[in-house]
Amino acid sequence: MKARHLLVLLLAATLVGCSSPRDGARDDFERQLRDEGGLTAAQAECVVSLFFSSRSDSDLKEFFERPDLTSAERAEFARLGERCADAS
């Protein structure tokens, strides 16, 4: 969970202080999915792209401020992982 908290802080700073907050948050989130989630670069990019596509900046800020995933988010990430499993 420490890594999740660090990511939350980094992404919150990115969302607040960057001229293109979504890009910075996307890059950081993709990196976490690769480094800690074991996804390939293509899979991580796919998951993040799908996750971000349906969310506003406000939605993303709220997501990254919470320390833990909700059960709905866990289910969504499982579905996204399945959809992106063959990404290359």
Side-chain angles (χ1 to χ4, degrees):
M1 269 304 131
K2 287 182 184 181
R4 171 95 168 133
H5 292 292
L6 178 59
L7 178 65
V8 168
L9 292 174
L10 289 172
L11 292 174
T14 301
L15 286 171
V16 171
C18 183
S19 61
S20 58
R22 289 178 81 89
D23 291 340
R26 286 176 67 98
D27 293 345
D28 289 342
F29 200 28
E30 285 177 21
R31 189 174 310 111
Q32 182 190 27
L33 291 174
R34 287 190 318 268
D35 295 349
E36 297 176 26
L39 299 182
T40 66
Q43 290 168 332
E45 182 179 346
C46 177
V47 168
V48 172
S49 179
L50 292 171
F51 183 75
F52 275 48
S53 68
S54 64
R55 288 174 172 76
S56 68
D57 289 349
S58 177
D59 294 336
L60 291 170
K61 185 174 184 292
E62 183 180 311
F63 168 76
F64 288 118
E65 286 177 344
R66 283 194 317 276
D68 297 312
L69 295 174
T70 66
S71 57
E73 290 165 345
R74 278 191 283 283
E76 179 180 8
F77 280 116
R79 285 190 306 273
L80 294 177
E82 289 176 12
R83 284 183 61 185
C84 296
D86 294 331
S88 56

